[in-house]
Amino acid sequence: MVNRLPSSGDLARFCQKLNRVKTLEEDMMETSLKRCLSTFDLTLLGVGGMVGSGLYVLTGTVARDIAGPAVVISFLAAGFASLLAAFCYAEFGARVPRTGSAYMFTYVSVGEIWAFLIGWNVILEYMIGGAAVARAWSGYLDSVFDHKIKNFTETYIGTWQVPFLAHYPDFLAAGILLIAMVFISFGAKVSSWLNHVFAAVSLGIILFILIFGFILAEPKNWSAAEGGFAPFGFSGIMAGTATCFYAFVGFDVIAASSEEAKNPQKAVPIATAISLGLATGAYILVSTVLTLIVPWKTLTPDSALSDAFNQRGYKWAGFIIAVGSICAMNTVLLSNLFSLPRIIYAMAEDGLFFQVFSKVNPHTKVPMNAILMFGSLMALLALIFDLEALVQFLSIGTLLAYTFVAASIIVLRFQKSTAEPPSPMKCQASPPPSNASLGSENNAELKEYESFSDKLQLVNKETRSTERREPGQLKATFEPYLKFLSDCYPGEVVTFAMVSIMVSAISLCSILVFGNTHLHLPTWSYTLLLVLFASGFCVSLFFIWVHEQQQKSKTFQVPLVPLTPALSILLNVYLMLKLNYMTWVRFAIWLVIGLVVYFGYGIWHSKENLREPKSHGVTARYVVFSGSSLKETVQTVQPRTQDAMGMAEAIAEEEEEQAKR
């Protein structure tokens, strides 16, 4: 029975399988997809992905039920958190111009199982997002016709009373998704052209809303008589921020489209910055106008903006806004349906998902099977699920993806670049020191270095000050003060500190969210735990900072690493913990399904698993003492497949030859 148990070596190899990273091709611009998108195309894709149902529906929902007029601050905080995440996406999209977005970024830096789980959640994010937008689109169109479509469905088809499901099937929402799926299948250029048309109309109507809305604005709607600016307090503002994240999930369509961009190194960062700035400004201004036109308690969640103008007696304005909202939601539908099959294609291309989804249509250059299959699933979700349940379920997957991308930026920055040419110090032997410089030192100090490792350190001591340190190694400035870190492998301390940051962030945010409400901690204990976990977060950040980063690259890089991604992690974790517990339950169920898919299929069909290990020569540096001179020799030995005795004999023969000389 004992013999059947896995050995420690088997467990180690299994863990290596789970954490193996993707090997990138030398020419990352080569692709089976078509590179046809410009910076302008990517910018409008990003704007279209963010400015849709979040603007026309979510503003009313959050203002009435969660934050009140302080929804303005909720959108500002969500926009700031999204900006931190967008920096990370922009750097990865420029450096790794491959489709896959957060999945691909995690795969090339953190490991395979984490990449699969992120990709699995991004798939859910896009399916839920598309279904939610279709539901909102249907609700707005229904409001234009005085809810006749809803009444007809409930009367002649029926209703149901099932938790988390809608009260009636929404055939209109499912139908618009199927129509959009057909247009997406024609290729990236057709999708981009349609997005341009709808985005132009949507931006024009947003300008109309702002101009006419500020004319009708009444500051008394923010007064204490109407409940005040923040009727739900700080907790309501932050809960609103967590939900408002749904509004900004569309910017990662830019990174997901980088494999179809003409010049991704330049286009991805510029398009990300411009689109996120425009979307954040639009959300803040529109939510300000909405809560100033009418009291926030009277808002209608499903069609807040058009109903607000209707309440003021401008029904014609409500009709224009309803038309604009439909155009804006069409851009979000196109964005979700554009990104979803490309994430699936990337996973299938790597072997982690079923190979049938990696096939690209030879004429349209799009993954047709992925579009048809998952577009239909998206339509099914829109048919049966309620909008509010869809929106809450969406935010957690987005926040988790943002967290892993931020962590991936830190890991990537402090590991050696695969594209970096090998250092000359490693390619050739160092010039032997002259007897004049070492003769006196040898007589005085050689007796102190008895072991092989001591002799090796004696040689390295002379070259350490002139050798440029690799990423992940301790900075020379801090070596006198942090000697205990200098013997660690490059990147080892960074990895442990990254884990410590994640643990500290989760612990700190848990105390902030649940310390007073659910845990009922006394003040001294609450304060002590906050100080303890905050200190752990800062110390871990310091230990990462004292190590060397990769050199500046020509592509966009996140400023203030590791501080910027660490703040993104902290904020994302806090917002995740503010979500409803049922959201976590549904999320856990989806994760379990994903793990079944990975261990049942992905781990065995992964291209990294099928890739045969290549034999590489191992370069050994050792010290030979000949007479009174000290010499360093570099010897290329055979791979590990040769037994240790043969390797030792080869080194011994070389030593004898050196001694004879």
Side-chain angles (χ1 to χ4, degrees), residues 111-307:
E112 184 173 284
I113 187 170
W114 308 108
F116 177 86
L117 292 177
I118 289 300
W120 186 248
N121 285 307
V122 169
I123 290 173
L124 181 67
E125 170 194 325
Y126 281 122
M127 284 201 300
I128 295 287
V133 173
R135 269 277 176 178
W137 183 96
S138 173
Y140 251 85
L141 187 63
D142 197 21
S143 70
V144 174
F145 297 103
D146 295 325
H147 305 287
K148 290 180 180 179
I149 301 174
K150 174 185 175 182
N151 295 333
F152 178 85
T153 305
E154 291 180 342
T155 303
Y156 294 98
I157 297 177
T159 61
W160 52 55
Q161 300 295 328
V162 181
F164 312 119
L165 297 185
H167 296 299
Y168 65 95
D170 196 335
F171 292 101
L172 185 60
I176 187 59
L177 277 170
L178 294 176
I179 293 172
M181 182 179 70
V182 173
F183 281 106
I184 289 293
S185 64
F186 286 125
K189 206 62 184 175
V190 174
S191 304
S192 177
W193 180 81
L194 278 174
N195 182 73
H196 290 357
V197 174
F198 289 128
V201 176
S202 176
L203 290 174
I205 293 179
I206 288 173
L207 287 176
F208 166 77
I209 292 170
L210 295 179
I211 294 171
F212 195 38
F214 276 115
I215 293 173
L216 299 176
E218 296 180 348
K220 68 176 184 179
N221 290 323
W222 282 10
S223 65
E226 296 292 345
F229 178 73
F232 299 95
F234 179 76
S235 178
I237 293 174
M238 296 313 296
T241 301
T243 305
C244 286
F245 243 84
Y246 164 68
F248 297 97
V249 300
F251 76 79
D252 60 350
V253 67
I254 299 173
S257 308
S258 59
E259 193 165 337
E260 292 164 284
K262 295 176 183 177
N263 184 8
Q265 287 78 14
K266 178 182 177 182
V268 170
I270 294 175
T272 301
I274 294 175
S275 61
L276 189 62
L278 289 174
T280 305
Y283 277 113
I284 292 172
L285 291 174
V286 169
S287 59
T288 302
V289 165
L290 177 64
T291 52
L292 285 173
I293 293 176
V294 295
W296 58 272
K297 296 178 182 178
T298 65
L299 292 173
T300 304
D302 289 341
S303 52
L305 277 169
S306 61
D307 281 349

Side-chain angles (χ1 to χ4, degrees), residues 317-332:
F319 179 79
I320 292 175
I321 292 168
V323 173
S325 70
I326 291 172
C327 289
M329 291 181 212
N330 282 336
T331 64
V332 182

